[in-house]
Amino acid sequence: MIKIEDLFKNKDECCGCELCANVCPKNVIVMHDDEEGFFYPHIVDQDKCIDCGLCLNLCPIKSIDKTQSQFLEFYAGSLVDKKELASCASGGLATAISKAIIKDGGIVYGVSYSDNWQGVQYERIISNVSINQLKTSKYVQARKNDIYQQIADDLRLGKTVLFIGLPCDVAAVNRKFVNAASHLFTIELICHGPTSCKVQKQYCEKLEKKYGSKLEFFSMRYKKNGKWLPFYIYATFKNGAKHVELFHSSIYGASFRYLKRPSCYTCKIKGSKLTGDLMIGDYHYVEKGMPGYDPGGVSVALVHTDKGKKLLALCQEAFSIIRIDPQGGLANGAIHRAFQVPERRNEFEIAFVRHGIVKAGKLPFVILSTLKRNLKYFIMKMGVKVKRIIIPSSGLK
Ligand SMILES: Cc1cc2nc3c(=O)[nH]c(=O)nc-3n(C[C@H](O)[C@H](O)[C@H](O)COP(=O)(O)OP(=O)(O)OC[C@H]3O[C@@H](n4cnc5c(N)ncnc54)[C@H](O)[C@@H]3O)c2cc1C
Ligand code: SF4
Ligand code: SF4
Ligand code: SF4
């Protein structure tokens, strides 16, 4: 009979993909959140376990292939439609590919906010209008609900399915649907790790209290005046109020830095064989004047498979793309390295659990780290400006 230690002994051994709970034929496993707000499997009815082994065999963390991923090609680019680009996280590649899949009659799985903005979950999307709810990054671990079952149903009906998610969620999907290779496409986001749903909930509650009204819209990666960086939290309320603040200066940004899922600090997926067809993320290595630069945001695409190439070919008209060298394509540290446990995470966690996000965000060392971060960003920006004045052609390749 299954024991919880069979699934994971330490919290960092479970990435929260929820696959074990979804595949158990006897509903022995359910997901519950811990005090930080991250979800873990729990054994609720051990006697019902029939020892079928499905939960253990499919767990993506237990079946990691330690061979390094090989990438075939590297690209960077942005959406041609600049209005649409402004509503996406980076260059809008996820949106461009999703729309192309829908146009061809396929189904897209991605992540949206819940109706009250306090939750984040994977959704099945069948129309271009609904793609809007997937747009832009939610730096929160998304609940899976019944997506594994929905994907199974779509694949059985012969539908083309595109799943876009964090690399460990993609690993879970590919583990479960290993035989569906031809009409299942998967895209991994480059990932430093999410914070918890509890952070999202408490931050939204704080805003609603401050403005005395319910949220009407919320984005944590808003492009002010269409400019990609730095990004802002942007919220509007039913009473007409509006809230705008720099993400990294906010208590939300602090929680994102200090309170990632424990598995992200020892991410088993990084440095192993990635299972997606394509990996996408932010491309920060182009400056004004260089080919591929767009102040509205630039995506990077790392192609793993021929199916990944097909995905890029699908959105050729909507997405302007250039080929880049492997050095540029692999420059983003989040592709290979796990995020280091921040010094004093423990203290942040204790304050968050006992007193909530507001008190945790006001800890002196948190305020200091935010100031340091802002200063570093300012110096970097000034450095680029000075470089351009001294060597006007320095931005050109
Ligand atoms: C938690 C997290 C950490 C990230 N860390 C990095 C990083 O360190 N470096 C980097 O280069 N890029 C990182 N990214 C990816 C980056 O923020 C963009 O999401 C990515 O570049 C796609 O941009 P886009 O313009 O193509 O997306 P859009 O066209 O705006 O579409 C957004 C896509 O992201 C998906 N998505 C949004 N939130 C989530 C979520 N919580 N879980 C799973 N999927 C989600 C949506 O379903 C949609 O497909 C991270 C993303 C997340 C969610
Ligand atoms: S071994 Fe089978 S029945 Fe037992 S918990 Fe795992 S999936 Fe459920
Ligand atoms: S990683 Fe996924 S399958 Fe493995 S124990 Fe955690 S939730 Fe279950
Ligand atoms: S850092 Fe690793 S474990 Fe954490 S969400 Fe990303 S892929 Fe999953």
Side-chain angles (χ1 to χ4, degrees):
M1 260 183 298
I2 190 90
K3 295 188 293 303
I4 197 66
E5 310 84 82
D6 298 332
L7 287 170
F8 67 98
K9 289 190 186 67
N10 300 308
K11 281 190 169 170
D12 74 333
E13 292 164 13
C14 172
C15 66
C17 70
E18 307 194 17
L19 185 55
C20 52
N22 271 274
V23 294
C24 176
K26 296 291 172 186
N27 299 323
V28 173
I29 305 172
V30 294
M31 302 297 293
H32 282 309
D33 55 345
D34 69 357
E35 60 286 3
E36 293 181 347
F38 293 109
F39 282 78
Y40 292 89
H42 287 252
I43 310 285
V44 285
D45 214 342
Q46 201 179 27
D47 292 345
K48 281 205 211 147
C49 174
I50 51 169
D51 269 332
C52 66
L54 268 180
C55 53
L56 300 175
N57 290 340
L58 292 181
C59 172
I61 300 299
K62 289 180 184 41
S63 56
I64 277 177
D65 178 346
K66 297 254 194 281
T67 345
Q68 277 275 353
S69 263
Q70 298 298 320
F71 296 101
L72 305 177
E73 290 165 5
F74 304 87
Y75 295 90
S78 309
L79 278 168
V80 173
D81 179 339
K82 298 306 167 202
K83 200 168 160 222
E84 179 131 74
L85 176 63
S87 60
C88 294
S90 43
L93 184 52
T95 295
I97 297 176
S98 300
K99 284 194 162 179
I101 291 281
I102 298 276
K103 195 173 161 204
D104 280 0
I107 313 284
V108 174
Y109 287 83
V111 168
S112 72
Y113 290 107
S114 61
D115 290 344
N116 66 1
W117 305 97
Q118 295 188 4
V120 168
Q121 73 257 324
Y122 279 94
E123 296 271 4
R124 175 179 186 270
I125 299 293
I126 54 167
S127 77
N128 263 345
V129 178
S130 307
I131 292 281
N132 288 335
Q133 67 195 64
L134 304 185
K135 281 179 179 171
T136 198
S137 303
K138 295 96 189 165
Y139 287 135
V140 176
Q141 183 157 43
R143 296 302 315 274
K144 280 67 182 177
N145 299 335
D146 56 354
I147 51 150
Y148 293 108
Q149 188 52 50
Q150 290 186 315
I151 295 173
D153 293 343
D154 285 332
L155 291 174
R156 201 174 310 114
L157 291 171
K159 300 262 185 205
T160 297
V161 170
L162 169 66
F163 179 88
I164 305 182
L166 301 182
C168 48
D169 294 336
V170 168
V173 166
N174 281 320
R175 184 87 188 124
K176 166 109 174 85
F177 302 107
V178 70
N179 297 322
S182 65
H183 52 302
L184 172 63
F185 293 81
T186 52
I187 299 181
E188 289 141 342
L189 300 179
I190 296 176
C191 166
H192 250 326
T195 190
S196 77
C197 280
K198 199 168 170 184
V199 167
Q200 171 74 12
K201 183 168 184 291
Q202 289 192 6
Y203 184 80
C204 289
E205 282 171 353
K206 173 193 107 77
L207 284 187
E208 289 183 341
K209 197 167 157 206
K210 179 174 174 189
Y211 290 95
S213 176
K214 291 282 171 205
L215 278 160
E216 190 181 52
F217 176 80
F218 178 87
S219 170
M220 67 181 74
R221 210 172 142 154
Y222 175 69
K223 294 176 178 171
K224 200 168 160 190
N225 303 320
K227 286 234 169 78
W228 186 22
L229 295 170
F231 54 92
Y232 290 78
I233 293 178
Y234 177 81
T236 58
F237 299 83
K238 298 219 159 105
N239 64 1
K242 194 196 279 185
H243 176 87
V244 187
E245 74 176 314
L246 273 171
F247 177 80
H248 283 297
S249 302
S250 69
I251 55 173
Y252 203 128
S255 308
F256 180 58
R257 288 200 300 281
Y258 280 96
L259 205 72
K260 291 187 187 294
R261 189 176 175 98
S263 58
C264 302
Y265 300 118
T266 57
C267 179
K268 318 275 184 290
I269 302 287
K270 289 183 184 163
S272 71
K273 190 161 169 40
L274 294 163
T275 62
D277 296 305
L278 197 63
M279 177 170 244
I280 66 172
D282 305 330
Y283 192 57
H284 295 294
Y285 310 96
V286 271
E287 282 178 29
K288 203 172 176 180
M290 287 183 177
Y293 173 76
D294 193 315
V298 186
S299 295
V300 66
L302 293 77
V303 181
H304 297 305
T305 66
D306 287 339
K307 278 161 73 193
K309 284 190 204 171
K310 263 192 210 164
L311 289 176
L312 288 180
L314 278 179
C315 61
Q316 259 173 358
E317 275 174 32
F319 197 82
S320 143
I321 204 161
I322 55 161
R323 193 151 176 183
I324 55 171
D325 57 29
Q327 210 186 353
L330 293 167
N332 193 328
I335 300 169
H336 333 269
R337 284 189 301 277
F339 194 81
Q340 276 194 329
V341 185
E343 262 180 58
R344 309 182 78 169
R345 181 194 190 273
N346 216 15
E347 287 167 64
F348 186 90
E349 188 234 316
I350 291 170
F352 176 75
V353 170
R354 285 200 191 141
H355 309 292
I357 188 174
V358 176
K359 283 253 167 80
K362 284 187 181 153
L363 289 167
F365 71 86
V366 175
I367 294 174
L368 191 66
S369 97
T370 304
L371 287 174
K372 273 191 196 159
R373 204 180 189 289
N374 291 348
L375 186 66
K376 204 169 129 192
Y377 181 74
F378 176 76
I379 292 171
M380 238 169 62
K381 234 177 121 181
M382 291 314 289
V384 171
K385 275 196 180 151
V386 170
K387 194 173 115 192
R388 278 207 204 110
I389 293 167
I390 299 173
I391 324 167
S393 61
S394 65
L396 296 167
K397 242 188 176 172

